[in-house]
Amino acid sequence: MSPRTSPVSPPITIRRAVARNAKRLTRLVRGSGAYAGQYAAAVAGYRVGPDYIEAHRVFVAVGADGEGGRVLGFYSLVLVPPELDLLFVADEAQGRGIGRLLVAHMRSEARAAGLDRVRVVSHLPAEGFYHRAGAVRTGTVRASPPAVPWDRPEFEFRVASR
């Protein structure tokens, strides 16, 4: 899929991530306000490396104009098994439609890859977002201490064929 510009103001472009984005993506994950407090340990040592970017379909939302081409969010689509592995929007960029734009892009990528559904294991504070973005709740993934000591909602995005 080619880069796409959204009607969100200022313009946001989604493009394939490259290895040099790895540090910024890692900072987005580790610095996410959704992982503050009791959730901080889950991402404290998390790293999005260049090898991960090369192995999966990782796309970044880049701000244009006043944003100076800065990465404002990203997602990672794993094809086998089909899963939205990561989706983060910078705290300061939330509420501008970037998350929804990333989900729409992910669904388009999944469709192009021949997938009919994409699984998401949600972080608890993101549960409402996934529901509003069109994902259907399919179950609960049980806690796996010490890394993740809480149950997490499991969702599925159904991908319509062309």
Side-chain angles (χ1 to χ4, degrees):
M1 173 173 238
S2 63
R4 182 185 334 176
T5 301
S6 84
V8 178
S9 183
I12 305 296
T13 299
I14 296 181
R15 64 163 172 77
R16 191 78 185 245
V18 294
R20 73 175 179 273
N21 296 134
K23 287 182 181 178
R24 172 65 179 149
L25 303 187
T26 296
R27 284 194 304 273
L28 270 174
V29 171
R30 291 183 185 174
S32 173
Y35 283 90
Q38 67 179 357
Y39 302 117
V43 296
Y46 199 88
R47 179 179 170 268
V48 179
D51 52 335
Y52 181 90
I53 291 170
E54 290 178 18
H56 303 293
R57 294 184 183 206
V58 181
F59 290 85
V60 294
V62 180
D65 302 332
E67 301 292 347
R70 195 167 64 88
V71 173
L72 301 173
F74 77 102
Y75 77 87
S76 171
L77 176 62
V78 175
L79 297 180
V80 180
E83 184 170 2
L84 177 61
D85 188 35
L86 300 167
L87 189 148
F88 282 85
V89 175
D91 289 352
E92 69 276 7
Q94 291 183 11
R96 293 173 37 193
I98 296 169
R100 284 187 171 275
L101 185 64
L102 288 168
V103 166
H105 190 276
M106 178 278 299
R107 290 177 103 158
S108 180
E109 282 293 314
R111 185 177 309 107
L115 304 176
D116 64 349
R117 58 193 67 226
V118 176
R119 175 182 187 239
V120 179
V121 177
S122 176
H123 179 49
L124 287 170
E127 182 174 8
F129 166 78
Y130 286 115
H131 178 72
R132 288 187 306 276
V136 176
R137 177 92 187 246
T138 57
T140 301
V141 174
R142 297 291 169 212
S144 56
V148 184
W150 53 84
D151 292 348
R152 294 168 290 158
E154 180 177 29
F155 288 92
E156 182 177 88
F157 282 104
R158 296 192 176 119
V159 180
S161 60
R162 290 180 188 231

